[in-house]
Amino acid sequence: MGNTRIFKTLFFYIFLSSYSIDALAEQKRTSFILAESPSGEVSVAGSIVIDNLFHKTQLSLNESDTKNSIQTLSRYYTLAKENDKAKLRKLSYVKDGTYSWMSRELNSIPDKFEGFAKLRKADATHKLFWGDYELFIVDWFTEAPQKVMSWYEAVICAENSQCHISNLLLNGKTSSSIFSGVLTDVYVKPLKKVPTLPYSVSYLPKPFSGSNQNALVFNFEVEWLNKPLEFKVDEKSKLQDKNVQFVHLESFLRELWSVRGNTVKRIVKEKAYKTSLDAHWLDFSTRNLIPVINPGSGFSLSNYTPVAYLDRLSKIDEVKVEGVLHATNEMYVVMTASLLNQQQLVIITLDRKTKKLKQTPNNFKLQEIVNTPEFYRKMASIVNKRA
């Protein structure tokens, strides 16, 4: 009888030790604050799927297996310490371009991983999910007892139980930049009580996502005007009598309308016009490119020079201010505009305090989201349904 009990106990522990660590994960969608209105109400809330059962795990720096994401991450750090370029390439995921990226990196920077020789310990502190990917926050330690830095890593175990490392968060895609920018907010600014926000926009990994699950989601609210405020190129409205917060916006557009065509360049070059520009912009700079979403080409993103951007705005014939997305220091004015013989959605940022147009926001994370094709597509759909 005693031998039977010992055998069962031994079998149980062998079973647990061979059971995939990933199977013990508990996926939980967790929300965080991205933006608040001046009154303190949450206006934009993000949510990410995390592993609710994950605890800080020290990575093995002598790992040979890749059966699950933790082993694969440990294997990656093992190979990085050994500076084994061939095996690092082999561990890199092919379908999302990581293998090609790794090959280019190692060819152009032969000593890319030499610094890993100084690594004495690496702790995976948090685990998250995005599409088919598993993301980890990893703390690095060298000779000193204190943490040197934290880094983000991505692993994918999508095919034939084979796991690979990915450069997902370093691939230059806007969606990856957004995810990287907010992935710690879920721990720093969590929402215990999630507000009911009527609209949402989702982001999945690019260029590869075999699953629509585990999206990065932002829920938001827009304060709609009871009636759109209209102003046209051929008539003078009196917005200052209707809504003082849009005075600078209207005055600026009228300045552009008065110098349509090539003379738009005078606004940024000639002193008299530059003074007028400064009167309506908080921080206008000719050195910074301005992102523009073009609905006419499938909501594609382009970066305009300031002069080209002003020239584009000067071609608007009519504007309808529909509503405002609020943040603590900014107002994102949602407008429909008659531009190049098309009705297009235009979103312009105003500084909350001065009501002037604003080029560099305090909440960069929200600005990056607002200037994405996904957000414009969603907002255009909302506005069209309200029309």
Side-chain angles (χ1 to χ4, degrees):
M1 182 71 176
N3 289 338
T4 302
R5 185 180 294 112
I6 292 172
F7 174 77
K8 287 182 176 179
T9 302
L10 181 61
F11 175 80
F12 176 73
Y13 281 112
I14 292 173
F15 171 77
L16 276 185
S17 65
S18 62
Y19 195 65
S20 170
I21 293 174
D22 298 326
L24 299 177
E26 179 185 88
Q27 295 186 355
K28 179 184 178 182
R29 183 166 289 280
T30 306
S31 298
F32 57 92
I33 300 170
L34 185 68
E36 295 176 294
S37 69
S39 62
E41 298 292 323
V42 176
S43 55
V44 184
S47 66
I48 293 176
V49 178
I50 68 169
D51 185 346
N52 202 41
L53 295 180
F54 189 81
H55 297 286
K56 184 170 71 173
T57 303
Q58 183 173 339
L59 301 180
S60 169
L61 299 181
N62 189 29
E63 181 62 65
S64 60
D65 229 330
T66 57
K67 291 179 180 178
N68 58 54
S69 56
I70 280 290
Q71 286 183 338
T72 302
L73 190 58
S74 294
R75 178 64 173 161
Y76 172 65
Y77 275 78
T78 299
L79 296 175
K81 273 185 67 68
E82 295 171 356
N83 200 16
D84 192 327
K85 298 181 179 64
K87 290 181 180 178
L88 282 166
R89 284 190 181 93
K90 187 176 180 181
L91 190 63
S92 301
Y93 193 48
V94 173
K95 281 192 174 181
D96 67 355
T98 303
Y99 181 90
S100 298
W101 172 84
M102 181 67 77
S103 297
R104 290 194 302 270
E105 286 287 295
L106 292 174
N107 288 336
S108 60
I109 314 172
D111 60 349
K112 180 178 177 67
F113 289 97
E114 285 185 3
F116 278 76
K118 300 177 182 178
L119 197 65
R120 293 293 174 263
K121 188 176 78 160
D123 290 340
T125 59
H126 298 88
K127 178 182 175 183
L128 310 91
F129 301 92
W130 190 27
D132 290 325
Y133 292 86
E134 298 173 46
L135 293 304
F136 295 89
I137 300 175
V138 182
D139 291 346
W140 293 8
F141 300 83
T142 55
E143 296 291 354
Q146 69 267 26
K147 178 178 71 175
V148 176
M149 63 179 291
S150 293
W151 195 248
Y152 308 147
E153 305 286 6
V155 177
I156 186 165
C157 302
E159 297 175 4
N160 303 322
S161 300
Q162 294 295 310
C163 300
H164 294 85
I165 201 75
S166 172
N167 74 332
L168 175 67
L169 301 181
L170 298 171
N171 64 11
K173 302 296 182 183
T174 301
S175 57
S176 293
S177 174
I178 292 171
F179 192 97
S180 299
V182 302
L183 69 83
T184 58
D185 289 350
V186 71
Y187 305 107
V188 177
K189 298 187 289 184
L191 270 171
K192 293 182 179 179
K193 184 178 180 181
V194 183
T196 301
L197 301 172
Y199 312 113
S200 67
V201 60
S202 300
Y203 296 85
L204 285 165
K206 294 179 180 179
F208 171 83
S209 181
S211 169
N212 289 326
Q213 297 180 355
N214 305 326
L216 170 62
V217 179
F218 295 100
N219 293 86
F220 60 94
E221 186 169 35
V222 177
E223 181 187 3
W224 300 107
L225 278 62
N226 292 329
K227 182 181 179 182
L229 294 178
E230 300 183 37
F231 44 101
K232 302 179 181 180
V233 67
D234 57 353
E235 63 181 46
K236 176 70 174 178
S237 66
K238 294 183 178 180
L239 279 187
Q240 53 266 46
D241 297 335
K242 299 176 183 178
N243 202 320
V244 69
Q245 61 187 337
F246 304 119
V247 169
H248 283 293
L249 175 60
E250 181 192 12
S251 298
F252 171 66
L253 285 175
R254 293 200 178 281
E255 289 281 352
L256 289 181
W257 291 339
S258 69
V259 290
R260 272 184 166 182
N262 292 332
T263 52
V264 166
K265 295 179 181 179
R266 295 167 61 187
I267 286 185
V268 295
K269 289 188 175 182
E270 293 186 14
K271 186 175 181 180
Y273 286 101
K274 184 68 168 59
T275 301
S276 177
L277 184 67
D278 290 341
H280 303 303
W281 278 80
L282 182 71
D283 56 351
F284 185 84
S285 170
T286 56
R287 294 188 297 272
N288 299 327
L289 294 176
I290 300 175
V292 171
I293 304 295
N294 184 3
S297 57
F299 293 93
S300 61
L301 172 65
S302 301
N303 288 305
Y304 279 45
T305 65
V307 171
Y309 177 71
L310 297 182
D311 185 59
R312 177 181 173 84
L313 292 183
S314 75
K315 294 173 182 175
I316 291 175
D317 293 316
E318 179 182 2
V319 167
K320 292 182 181 179
V321 179
E322 306 278 356
V324 176
L325 171 64
H326 292 286
T328 303
N329 298 294
E330 286 86 36
M331 300 163 55
Y332 294 90
V333 182
V334 180
M335 309 183 299
T336 51
S338 177
L339 175 60
L340 303 175
N341 298 317
Q342 281 187 317
Q343 284 296 116
Q344 297 190 16
L345 182 78
V346 177
I347 301 175
I348 288 182
T349 310
L350 301 184
D351 177 66
R352 177 165 298 283
K353 183 178 180 180
T354 64
K355 305 301 185 289
K356 291 183 177 183
L357 285 82
K358 193 172 186 178
Q359 198 170 356
T360 307
N362 292 65
N363 192 333
F364 174 78
K365 296 175 184 178
L366 179 56
Q367 181 89 352
E368 188 174 27
I369 293 164
V370 169
N371 288 323
T372 60
E374 290 90 342
F375 189 86
Y376 259 73
R377 191 177 292 112
K378 170 62 72 172
M379 190 63 78
S381 174
I382 295 169
V383 170
N384 289 337
K385 288 178 181 178
R386 287 178 49 83

